[in-house]
Amino acid sequence: MTAQRGDAISVNSDMGEAFGLHTFGNDPELMRLIDVANVACGFHSGDPGAMETTVSLAHENAVRVGAHPGLPDLVGFGRREMKLTPQEVEDLIRYQVGALTGFLTKYELPLNHIKPHGSLYGMLARDEELMLGAVRVARDYGVPVFGIAGSAHQRVAEREGVEFVGELYVDLDYNSEGGLIILRQPHATDPQQAAEKARRAIDDGVIVSVDGTELPIEFGSICVHSDTPNAVEVTAAVRAVVDR
């Protein structure tokens, strides 16, 4: 079932996007502001040490943890599409979710959800056969999938009896069809504009596309990317809107 406006709305962020000595976010500060962390599982980013650190931080801050599986492309940060079969999608998601649950077990935390990352997220939004691979994993774990309302994310999840949670993105633009415009490099987002986008979506149920089209949106969670240069300020502004 899709979360609707008027229900409790969570704030989520993509976390653990680090590799060795390199990190791309501000996880300790963001953990104090969010409700849900989508933790990288090693393919687009993240390694065992990063997963351990991130799950530990989530445990300390009472933040729910979901898996954020991506394409096997560290160099491209999972933002370059690949040609995959539905079985390959299922296998790579199952592998990554399994890795994360090992760390969740250590801290006695349940898996909260599955949310594909980057180009995999976009591929599954457009292709129901590929999305079925992701939904099979979510069904086996008994968890929801996060995604774009009205896309293959929602259609396949609901058809297969898996809970779906729609997302609102305040630091990405939408095209006139309601699709996300994903950039290879993140850019700073004006916190007040992000807050206004969240307020308008919560109060009026609409977002405005890059060409000025008003689009209806259903969502149960608001995502702020951790690698946005001013992610903490953006998240704090959105948190204030949600908490009001």
Side-chain angles (χ1 to χ4, degrees):
M1 181 176 179
T2 305
Q4 304 284 335
R5 289 181 297 113
D7 295 339
I9 294 171
S10 65
V11 178
N12 77 78
S13 188
D14 304 341
M15 296 261 167
E17 293 182 325
F19 192 76
L21 300 178
H22 305 285
T23 183
F24 304 98
N26 193 339
D27 291 3
E29 290 296 322
L30 287 171
M31 281 289 188
R32 300 185 178 98
L33 297 168
I34 65 172
D35 306 296
V36 181
N38 317 303
V39 179
C41 306
F43 275 24
H44 76 278
S45 189
D47 60 19
M51 281 189 275
E52 158 66 27
T53 298
T54 308
V55 173
S56 175
L57 271 173
H59 181 259
E60 291 173 12
N61 289 275
V63 169
R64 301 190 298 275
V65 176
H68 196 39
L71 295 172
D73 180 18
L74 289 173
V75 174
F77 201 66
R79 289 175 176 162
R80 303 182 294 188
E81 291 197 3
M82 293 182 173
K83 296 293 185 181
L84 298 172
T85 67
Q87 186 61 53
E88 286 172 329
V89 168
E90 178 178 344
D91 292 347
L92 68 86
I93 291 177
R94 191 178 299 278
Y95 183 96
Q96 292 176 83
V97 173
L100 178 63
T101 56
F103 294 95
L104 293 175
T105 298
K106 174 181 176 180
Y107 290 94
E108 299 183 338
L109 294 175
L111 179 70
N112 187 72
H113 66 280
I114 296 173
K115 172 186 170 178
H117 166 269
S119 286
L120 180 61
Y121 188 92
M123 291 162 59
L124 302 190
R126 298 189 300 271
D127 191 319
E128 293 192 6
E129 289 189 8
L130 293 182
M131 185 59 193
L132 183 58
V135 166
R136 285 175 179 150
V137 181
R139 186 171 56 200
D140 288 347
Y141 279 91
V143 297
V145 291
F146 279 29
I148 302 173
S151 74
H153 292 161
Q154 180 178 14
R155 292 192 298 271
V156 178
E158 294 185 345
R159 187 183 73 211
E160 298 298 319
V162 170
E163 184 181 354
F164 171 78
V165 177
E167 290 190 285
L168 166 69
Y169 287 85
V170 295
D171 52 13
L172 293 177
D173 291 323
Y174 289 80
N175 62 32
S176 58
E177 288 77 43
L180 290 170
I181 301 174
I182 299 177
L183 304 175
R184 293 283 292 273
Q185 294 288 337
H187 58 82
T189 297
D190 182 281
Q192 293 313 308
Q193 289 183 2
E196 176 59 19
K197 183 184 286 189
R199 185 206 64 76
R200 185 86 194 278
I202 292 169
D203 291 346
D204 303 330
V206 298
I207 54 171
V208 180
S209 71
V210 289
D211 68 355
T213 304
E214 290 193 350
L215 303 168
I217 186 168
E218 294 180 354
F219 63 99
S221 193
I222 300 174
C223 179
V224 180
H225 288 95
S226 62
D227 61 347
T228 300
N230 59 336
V232 174
E233 292 79 11
V234 173
T235 306
V238 171
R239 177 87 263 168
V241 172
V242 172
D243 286 349
R244 60 167 197 178

